[in-house]
Amino acid sequence: MKHKYRDRLLPWLLAAALVCPPVQAQPAGLPGLGDGESISLSAERQLGDRIARELYRDPDYIEDPVLDEYIQLLWAPLVRAAAARGELSAELQERFAWRILLGRDRSVNAFALPGGYLGVHLGLIAVVGSHDELASVLAHELSHVSQRHIARGMSEQSRMTPWLVGAMILGALAASKSPQSAQALIVGGQAAALQSQLSYSRDMEREADRVGYGILVDAGYDPRGFVGMFGKLQQAAGLNDNGAFPYLRSHPLTSERIADMQARQQLNTPAAVPVADMAQALMSGRARVLSQNTPDALKAWTLEAEQPSPQDGPAQRAGKLYAVTLAHLQQRNMLAAEQSLQKLQELVKKSVPTDSKVTQALASPVALSVDRWLRLLSAEVAMKQDRFEAALQQLLPGGAVPDLARPELMAAAQAVQRLPGHALQAEITRQLRQRVFVAPHDAQAWNLLAGLLAAQGQALAGLRAEAEAQVARLDWEGALDRFRAAQDLAKRSRLQAGEHIEASIVDTRLREVQAQLRALQQPSTGPR
Ligand SMILES: [Zn+2]
């Protein structure tokens, strides 16, 4: 059913995520990178920042607190395991960005960028069958970063400038999703000649498999996810070799790699019986609808849920009901959304064991999120109907205000912002401040904080939060603009108690951002 729509919207991609043209001549005035030596961590991070700031501006970049949390839940144990295995030095952990950007694109892709940035397309989340499979892709990508494959690849291209590498990676990424664009035509036309310039070598792929597999096992995932994922990708690519699986272009699979993985798996037979992966099914439903929300696609999700396949287990049926609830919501069919939400709640209640002690002992943090994600979906339904108080009751059951998880905090902030003078405004503001203190790169939290501060008459602090949101998205010009607006406001208004500190923070941050911009405008970033 869903493939019908895929066919019509194809063809997908022409080039791999990390492909780069041969450089015949060194452009004048731009120094080479490292001259054969591996590039430094800070040079790689700077290159990653350049690429990431373009991705943040891409209309396909999506901030979705629920999917972001899901990826983080899978990612955090992998990072801990990698560090414990000695694959991630403290320096690498500190110097790299370690940010995962979600792309709305429905092609099946994940990629590691220079400097510890990673990209995950919603198409990948939509297509995997279990959270172990998704974790296996993340483990593989994490290993490309931890083994510094990008730096090693780049040092072989010693005549290539970081500027050019950044431009080429962006070109290849653009080509990987929109074949109509001019960039795609350029990259596509040269694709044959360009292959392998910056893509990973076969040895690097095997190393990322080996290291990634070890990390996956140590992090507590079912290692069958690794084989399952790559088997699925290969099978799908064989059935459908139209470029919908760019992942395979950038990480070519050989039968040798698959045999290696199967051999590893036999050494490591897991004791656990795989349970139906309800969590992954729900998130797959979310990713499907957020990546394809044309009226035709939304209609297709609705039909799919109305005519369930007899082979569907509870997880698949729940995933379809989740998708159809969201699809109705996007079409503003409120009654239909409420009806499918109710069916979904009943189904989950029936299929998830109710003995919470048993569940807690067996289940991963991911499985334990299922109930929360249903409440978050209920809150989304309420918000779409402007029932903000009802949304808050879903988000804060029992009325108490603990330290909210990020998706709940984001949603509650949106709700209280629409309820002037609400008793919870101060508490939610406090929690958002806490959030940006521990995670200053959380642009969405800064934006929500800005809105709440403005709503509470704290204009100066609100402007600074807006500026910090731009900093978090690496948009230095945008940040400068907001910091200047804050400075102007501080000059022309009589500052309240406490605002003098805020004003001096604004001055300091303005100077820091100006320095950042100057550094960025200098073409040389590589060590000589
Ligand atoms: Zn790879």
Side-chain angles (χ1 to χ4, degrees):
M1 177 56 83
K2 65 190 167 195
H3 296 289
K4 195 170 91 193
Y5 290 85
R6 173 188 286 163
D7 291 344
R8 221 190 42 197
L9 293 167
L10 287 173
W12 279 101
L13 140 142
L14 299 165
L18 293 173
V19 172
C20 201
V23 178
Q24 264 84 35
Q26 170 75 30
L30 297 174
L33 241 189
D35 294 334
E37 313 227 319
S38 185
I39 67 168
S40 71
L41 291 181
S42 65
E44 192 187 329
R45 173 66 193 270
Q46 275 182 331
L47 174 58
D49 287 351
R50 281 165 197 249
I51 297 167
R53 69 200 295 264
E54 298 305 322
L55 292 185
Y56 279 120
R57 294 177 194 188
D58 189 313
D60 260 359
Y61 166 65
I62 177 170
E63 289 172 341
D64 181 67
V66 175
L67 288 174
D68 282 333
E69 178 188 59
Y70 181 45
I71 293 292
Q72 285 304 326
L73 281 174
L74 298 179
W75 176 252
L78 296 171
V79 172
R80 279 196 299 273
R85 290 169 62 89
E87 308 284 1
L88 269 187
S89 68
E91 197 189 6
L92 201 62
Q93 286 199 71
E94 195 194 307
R95 301 286 286 281
F96 272 13
W98 303 111
R99 293 194 215 174
I100 303 178
L101 281 66
L102 294 184
R104 202 185 287 277
D105 210 88
R106 65 199 188 80
S107 53
V108 178
N109 203 7
F111 46 88
L113 293 168
Y117 290 95
L118 290 100
V120 173
H121 284 182
L122 296 194
L124 174 70
I125 304 175
V127 89
V128 299
S130 76
H131 69 271
D132 300 298
E133 288 181 0
L134 190 50
S136 72
V137 175
L138 296 176
H140 176 96
E141 295 303 323
L142 172 60
S143 305
H144 278 312
V145 181
S146 72
Q147 306 310 113
R148 303 215 55 220
H149 286 164
I150 293 169
R152 274 157 55 186
M154 279 174 60
S155 63
E156 284 157 24
Q157 313 294 324
S158 56
R159 288 182 306 167
M160 212 178 286
T161 68
W163 179 85
L164 206 53
V165 173
M168 284 305 145
I169 291 176
L170 284 166
L173 285 175
S176 80
K177 56 179 195 188
S178 55
Q180 291 84 7
S181 79
Q183 258 174 328
L185 291 177
I186 294 163
V187 177
Q190 302 174 359
L194 311 183
Q195 268 303 343
S196 87
Q197 276 286 318
L198 248 194
S199 59
Y200 300 120
S201 71
R202 190 170 287 195
D203 284 346
M204 289 177 183
E205 287 306 333
R206 293 178 60 175
E207 189 177 42
D209 285 344
R210 180 178 54 76
V211 174
Y213 189 91
I215 292 172
L216 187 79
V217 172
D218 281 9
Y221 293 106
D222 185 337
R224 279 172 293 191
F226 222 101
V227 180
M229 184 66 218
F230 289 95
K232 186 176 283 181
L233 281 173
Q234 195 183 45
Q235 191 193 20
L239 293 174
N240 184 6
D241 191 19
N242 51 23
F245 291 84
Y247 191 80
L248 287 184
R249 309 284 169 101
S250 47
H251 306 71
L253 275 183
T254 58
S255 37
E256 197 186 348
R257 273 182 68 200
I258 293 188
D260 279 356
M261 285 185 263
Q262 276 162 345
R264 251 177 235 123
Q265 189 210 313
Q266 274 156 11
L267 293 174
N268 248 306
T269 309
V273 180
V275 287
D277 201 334
M278 185 73 81
Q280 168 57 36
L282 298 187
M283 291 302 98
S284 164
R286 187 170 186 88
R288 283 206 305 270
V289 174
L290 294 187
S291 63
Q292 296 185 69
N293 56 6
T294 60
D296 280 356
L298 293 176
K299 241 174 251 157
W301 309 136
T302 316
L303 280 173
E304 203 180 54
E306 280 164 4
Q307 298 155 356
S309 149
Q311 292 107 36
D312 284 352
Q316 283 92 341
R317 274 185 287 142
K320 286 178 181 178
L321 281 170
Y322 188 104
V324 77
T325 304
L326 211 55
H328 283 313
L329 213 54
Q330 301 226 336
Q331 298 170 98
R332 306 197 73 87
N333 299 333
M334 292 308 165
L335 188 64
E338 282 179 5
Q339 284 167 347
S340 49
L341 174 64
Q342 199 180 348
K343 278 190 212 159
L344 171 61
Q345 286 164 332
E346 284 162 10
L347 173 67
V348 171
K349 208 187 233 172
K350 258 200 316 214
S351 10
V352 175
T354 45
D355 185 344
S356 65
K357 260 188 202 154
V358 177
T359 329
Q360 298 264 348
L362 288 176
S364 64
V366 172
L368 292 174
S369 302
V370 166
D371 282 344
R372 288 184 41 236
W373 290 338
L374 289 194
R375 280 202 303 278
L376 281 157
L377 185 63
S378 308
E380 249 176 297
V381 172
M383 298 263 273
K384 203 78 168 188
Q385 302 171 57
D386 292 344
R387 292 164 47 229
F388 301 109
E389 191 62 56
L392 282 176
Q393 279 164 20
Q394 289 294 337
L395 297 166
L396 316 166
V401 187
D403 278 348
L404 294 169
R406 185 174 180 271
E408 280 87 345
L409 179 58
M410 301 288 128
Q414 282 166 340
V416 291
Q417 204 184 326
R418 303 291 297 273
L419 297 165
H422 194 279
L424 282 173
Q425 270 194 353
E427 173 58 19
I428 299 296
T429 307
R430 183 195 69 79
Q431 290 197 29
L432 279 173
R433 282 189 192 278
Q434 184 65 29
R435 167 75 199 164
V436 297
F437 180 74
V438 292
H441 59 269
D442 190 340
Q444 212 180 3
W446 279 115
N447 278 132
L448 288 166
L449 179 60
L452 269 182
L453 289 169
Q456 292 166 92
Q458 300 184 47
L460 182 58
L463 278 176
R464 180 168 84 83
E466 271 181 40
E468 298 291 0
Q470 305 292 64
V471 172
R473 294 191 184 96
L474 310 174
D475 180 359
W476 310 113
E477 290 93 347
L480 207 56
D481 177 75
R482 298 289 77 200
F483 278 128
R484 285 205 175 111
Q487 215 172 34
D488 285 350
L489 180 73
K491 274 182 199 145
R492 49 188 168 75
S493 55
R494 268 182 56 195
L495 297 180
Q496 314 273 315
E499 283 193 322
H500 292 282
I501 298 173
E502 193 71 44
S504 78
I505 296 175
V506 167
D507 290 340
T508 310
R509 296 289 290 137
L510 182 72
R511 282 195 297 275
E512 284 170 2
V513 168
Q514 280 170 330
Q516 271 289 357
L517 259 175
R518 275 197 300 275
L520 207 70
Q521 276 148 9
Q522 287 163 6
S524 165
T525 56
R528 298 307 318 270

